[in-house]
Structures are given as C-alpha cells and as structure tokens.
Amino acid sequence: MIEEFNNHPVTVEIEGGIDSPNISGTLNGRTNLFSFIGFDAGSNPIQPIRELLNQSLFRISSGNSGVVKATFDIPTAKMIFSITPMPWAAGRSWARGIERGISGLGFYLKKNKGSRSGLGIQSRKQIRKGAKFKNTQYISALINKYEKKFKELNNITL
C-alpha cells in the first residue's frame, strides 16, 4: 500500500517540487501540482500522509477453536484529508482536491516574485479560458483498494 502511494504520479509530482513536470496530467502540462497548489518552497506536503500510512498496524490472533484472525488498521481517507490542508484555504484538503478538483488554473501565472512555491502566483484576472483541473483518483481509491484486500485476507482459511 505504501509502495503504491509512493509511486503514484501525484505523490511523485508533488515530491518533485517546482521542477517536476505535470506527470499526473491534472494540469494539462501548464505547471505542476506543487506550484499550482501553492506549497511553501522547501516544504514536503507528502510527509504527513506517509507518516500516517506508516502507522498502519497488522495483528494476528487465534481463538480457542483454532481460528486465526488477521486485523489490519489503516487510516481512513477522512483522516488523511484532515492532515492535508490547502496552504491558502484552511479547512480544505489538497488531497481531496486532487480527487474532486481544484479551481483557478485559468488564473495561474508563472512568476517567481512573490510566489509561495517559487514558481507561480494566482492572477486577479483570468489568463486563459478553458483551462481545467483534471480530477484524479488518489487517496480514496488507494484506501478503498487496500481495505478490500485486507478484508479478503481475513477471510482466508488455512
């Protein structure tokens, strides 16, 4: 699960910082997620998610009848969304925004002066029409996939 998260195009792109190409395809190559979302230069917005995923637990227990039970405790998507705030909008999650959309691509202007990330700013005037963020499966799909896999593992009898 953690390996899949680490290799996801959104994760790789954000960890690449302002020099990363838009490998996730969310921004039609106009910029990258690190700059568009407006993370602070030098920050690592992926680290809190990775730390939470690394806290996942796996336990095996056996009962008197010889039944072995495996228990997997992984974070919920809601937990991850709560630790991924937008740098400019408290209460909104950038990780959820990847899945549902983030507005403002038409107002994005490449400019390093006054930029939080070091690459771009939001213009007061629309720069381009028709520029849309492409929603992408990310955290919810990952968590749902592994919740299902772990439940299936628990139903195996030896």
Side-chain angles (χ1 to χ4, degrees):
M1 177 178 71
I2 294 170
E3 183 178 330
E4 189 170 323
F5 169 75
N6 287 337
N7 293 321
H8 192 283
V10 169
T11 302
V12 172
E13 182 176 332
I14 291 174
E15 286 199 309
I18 63 170
D19 296 321
S20 179
N22 182 223
I23 60 172
S24 67
T26 53
L27 303 167
N28 300 313
R30 301 244 184 246
T31 186
N32 62 59
L33 288 168
F34 191 92
S35 177
F36 177 67
I37 294 171
F39 294 117
D40 290 324
S43 69
N44 185 352
I46 295 298
Q47 193 58 33
I49 301 173
R50 188 173 285 121
E51 288 172 2
L52 190 58
L53 291 174
N54 280 323
Q55 292 175 16
S56 298
L57 296 173
F58 167 69
R59 293 184 303 277
I60 297 178
S61 57
S62 59
N64 293 338
S65 61
V67 175
V68 176
K69 182 177 181 179
T71 305
F72 298 89
D73 291 323
I74 63 173
T76 64
K78 186 175 180 179
M79 291 168 70
I80 293 172
F81 297 152
S82 74
I83 62 165
T84 54
M86 286 279 197
W88 42 266
R92 288 191 58 201
S93 163
W94 64 262
R96 177 174 269 162
I98 297 295
E99 299 176 2
R100 294 190 175 173
I102 302 172
S103 62
L105 185 56
F107 293 82
Y108 179 84
L109 178 64
K110 282 192 175 183
K111 182 178 179 182
N112 60 8
K113 188 175 181 180
S115 170
R116 185 183 300 115
S117 69
L119 184 63
I121 61 170
Q122 288 294 109
S123 169
R124 287 192 171 98
K125 295 180 181 179
Q126 190 170 12
I127 306 299
R128 67 190 66 79
K129 296 198 185 288
K132 296 201 182 223
F133 186 93
K134 182 181 175 203
N135 304 10
T136 301
Q137 290 187 348
Y138 190 42
I139 297 299
S140 296
L142 178 79
I143 296 300
N144 290 340
K145 175 182 177 179
Y146 282 92
E147 280 179 343
K148 183 179 176 186
K149 280 186 177 223
F150 294 149
K151 282 180 185 174
E152 289 171 0
L153 284 174
N154 199 34
N155 292 328
I156 295 174
T157 49
L158 302 174

